[in-house]
Amino acid sequence: ALSGVVAASLSATLALGGPAHAEIRLPPIDQDPDRCERAFVGNTIGQANAVSDRILDLRKCTYDGKDLSTKTLSGALMVDASFKGANLTEVVMSKAYALNADFTGADFTNAVVDRVTFDDANLTNANFRNAVITGATYENTVLTGATFEEALIGKEDVKRLCENPTLVGDTRYEVGCKN
């Protein structure tokens, strides 16, 4: 019961958070030896609202080249996690906290990326083809070579993405940057 209260409190904290990630105080890393395996199941309660009976704690976990397609990773703590080359097609990531995570070459095709903190993350060569992207933050995020072909990107997200100096070339056009 207590872990459910902690999960709900964390979801509320992440929902209210913004670029000021320095103010967010995260709980200690879950000591469950199988916590990283929970990503292959995902959240099954509340889904897009990031409500769960337990925090989906994926901090410092490695999913390089793994298939997490169609999983619900809402409310997930992904700080310092690695998803290099991971298959994240049709994943639902709402209110996830991916500070300093590595998504190099990850495939987010047809994913829902809603209110995700990608600050200080590496999204080099990530594929967001046909993804829905709303309310995400990208402070100091590396976007070199990322693609956003046919993605539905919220107006504020377009502004934040276009401010990123690593978003260059055709990718700026795909996002909808005016310059």
Side-chain angles (χ1 to χ4, degrees), residues 3-56:
S3 64
V5 172
V6 172
S9 298
L10 181 62
S11 293
T13 301
L14 292 175
L16 298 173
H21 54 77
E23 296 175 14
I24 294 179
R25 291 179 40 196
L26 300 175
I29 291 179
D30 188 341
Q31 296 304 307
D32 180 351
D34 297 323
R35 73 179 173 84
C36 292
E37 296 301 313
R38 292 188 62 226
F40 296 103
V41 176
N43 280 344
T44 56
I45 301 173
Q47 297 169 350
N49 290 320
V51 175
S52 179
D53 60 342
R54 187 170 177 187
I55 295 171
L56 187 55

Side-chain angles (χ1 to χ4, degrees), residues 8-171:
S9 298
L10 181 62
S11 293
T13 301
L14 292 175
L16 298 173
H21 54 77
E23 296 175 14
I24 294 179
R25 291 179 40 196
L26 300 175
I29 291 179
D30 188 341
Q31 296 304 307
D32 180 351
D34 297 323
R35 73 179 173 84
C36 292
E37 296 301 313
R38 292 188 62 226
F40 296 103
V41 176
N43 280 344
T44 56
I45 301 173
Q47 297 169 350
N49 290 320
V51 175
S52 179
D53 60 342
R54 187 170 177 187
I55 295 171
L56 187 55
D57 191 350
L58 310 179
R59 290 177 284 182
K60 299 184 180 189
C61 294
T62 300
Y63 302 99
D64 297 352
K66 300 295 184 190
D67 184 0
L68 296 170
S69 61
T70 71
K71 300 301 181 231
T72 299
L73 303 177
S74 296
L77 299 178
M78 303 172 154
V79 178
D80 296 320
S82 183
F83 296 85
K84 294 177 190 172
N87 180 359
L88 297 167
T89 58
E90 298 182 17
V91 74
V92 175
M93 284 176 59
S94 180
K95 301 177 187 172
Y97 193 64
L99 185 74
N100 202 43
D102 192 343
F103 294 95
T104 300
D107 187 358
F108 287 92
T109 299
N110 298 325
V112 175
V113 179
D114 177 46
R115 294 167 286 179
V116 175
T117 301
F118 284 121
D119 299 351
D120 298 310
N122 188 344
L123 293 168
T124 299
N125 297 322
N127 178 8
F128 288 94
R129 188 181 196 296
N130 203 44
V132 176
I133 303 170
T134 56
T137 62
Y138 315 93
E139 191 174 313
N140 300 315
T141 302
V142 178
L143 295 163
T144 306
T147 58
F148 295 86
E149 185 179 349
E150 298 180 22
L152 176 61
I153 305 171
K155 184 177 180 179
E156 293 302 313
D157 290 85
V158 169
K159 287 181 187 176
R160 284 189 288 269
L161 284 165
C162 293
E163 290 171 354
N164 188 304
T166 65
L167 191 76
V168 296
D170 290 342
T171 305

